[in-house]
Amino acid sequence: MIRLEEIARQVVETFSAKGATLGTAESLTAGMIAAAVADISGASAVLMGGIVSYDPKVKRDVLGVSQVVIDGVGVVSEACAIQMAKGARNLLNTDIAISATGIAGPTGGTEENPVGTVWLGVSGRKGTFAKKCHFEGDRQSVREQSAQEALSMALEMLLDENR
């Protein structure tokens, strides 16, 4: 978990230095991303909040993920990750928001989305995008890798927007 702590520290330091704020929308990570940031001194200047949206109804009713996405491509999808990130950014009124949705395992995988399949979203001033990842390892490892990569995406977007 040292890597997660390192990237969380970089996020807090960089966001703080730039006066930027962060929000999260988390499914499989269930608050791990926000907790990693909150573990770092100074996080209160950066982390505005997070929404744990494990259930599709919360994704829909709180974050604004469309029922069409939920019933169609599903919650483990690019469209869902994008809508989650946008929803969190709007709801929490942050400069950047990140989202994580996927299958941590050891059960729940399908042929199309095997265990370890994760979609991570990031939303900022210059737009919103998502990327598909496949992480190896046990449930905890998949969740930690997801959190690390989501925070890396937030940091990358912040630095890109300030160029």
Side-chain angles (χ1 to χ4, degrees):
M1 192 107 151
I2 291 171
R3 174 78 176 105
L4 181 54
E5 182 181 339
E6 289 172 11
I7 189 69
R9 185 173 313 286
Q10 289 175 8
V11 164
V12 170
E13 290 172 357
T14 306
F15 272 66
S16 184
K18 305 236 181 243
T21 56
L22 178 70
T24 68
E26 304 182 55
S27 187
L28 83 149
T29 50
M32 181 183 284
I33 300 169
V37 173
D39 280 345
I40 306 301
S41 179
S44 60
V46 171
L47 182 64
M48 296 298 103
I51 295 118
V52 174
S53 57
Y54 222 73
D55 189 277
K57 289 181 287 231
V58 177
K59 289 176 181 69
R60 181 193 65 216
D61 297 345
V62 177
L63 293 170
V65 175
S66 75
Q67 193 65 47
V68 171
V69 166
I70 292 168
D71 293 340
V73 292
V75 295
V76 182
S77 66
E78 178 179 29
C80 186
I82 284 172
Q83 289 182 10
M84 286 172 66
K86 281 183 181 177
R89 185 166 181 252
N90 291 334
L91 197 62
L92 299 169
N93 193 30
T94 59
D95 296 304
I96 292 176
I98 47 181
S99 65
T101 184
I103 305 165
T107 60
T110 64
E111 192 172 311
E112 186 179 334
N113 287 314
V115 169
T117 302
V118 177
W119 277 96
L120 302 170
V122 61
S123 183
R125 192 176 68 242
K126 290 187 175 178
T128 304
F129 73 93
K131 79 175 186 179
K132 186 177 189 179
C133 302
H134 186 80
F135 298 117
E136 299 293 329
D138 64 12
R139 182 176 183 83
Q140 184 69 13
S141 179
V142 168
R143 294 174 69 236
E144 287 176 9
Q145 290 172 79
S146 299
Q148 290 167 15
E149 187 59 28
L151 287 171
S152 292
M153 289 169 64
L155 192 56
E156 195 173 305
M157 179 170 270
L158 179 67
L159 294 173
D160 182 56
E161 287 188 349
N162 282 279
R163 283 192 181 123

